[in-house]
Amino acid sequence: MTTQEAFAKLNENQELAAKTKAECKTPEQVYDVLKSVGLTDSFDDFKKAAAQINESVTKLDKTDVDAIVGGGDTITTVTITTTASIAAAAAI
């Protein structure tokens, strides 16, 4: 499972995603969590993908987010911000 797929799987479990966002402060910690949900990428590939995800998500403004989620979809918006937060920790 790729890093992007693992982030998507992590976001399916809101409790684990919230715990990861709150507790994981290093790339290694995030990597371990994603491996527990099925990540098969190497640590180097994971860090590259997390940096790309972080860069992409941080460039989004409200209009971009509304376009992606169809406007007003709180669950998807929370998922995007959770992914951004976790990717940012992983991209350090």
Side-chain angles (χ1 to χ4, degrees):
M1 177 182 301
T2 68
T3 298
Q4 188 168 2
E5 293 167 335
F7 270 115
K9 182 147 179 124
L10 174 66
N11 283 319
E12 291 173 5
N13 182 338
Q14 291 182 359
E15 184 178 314
L16 182 58
K19 182 178 178 181
T20 302
K21 180 180 175 183
E23 296 178 6
C24 293
K25 306 299 181 204
T26 68
E28 292 81 7
Q29 291 171 322
V30 175
Y31 182 71
D32 288 341
V33 171
L34 293 181
K35 284 190 64 94
S36 76
V37 298
L39 176 67
T40 57
D41 282 351
S42 70
F43 184 69
D44 287 337
D45 289 342
F46 154 75
K47 283 191 66 168
K48 288 176 193 172
Q52 290 172 343
I53 292 168
N54 182 50
E55 182 180 338
S56 295
V57 173
T58 56
K59 289 181 180 179
L60 298 177
D61 62 21
K62 184 179 180 337
T63 305
D64 295 329
V65 172
D66 285 347
I68 292 167
V69 301
D73 186 350
T74 304
I75 293 172
T76 305
T77 303
V78 169
T79 298
I80 290 170
T81 56
T82 299
T83 299
S85 298
I86 296 169
I92 296 175

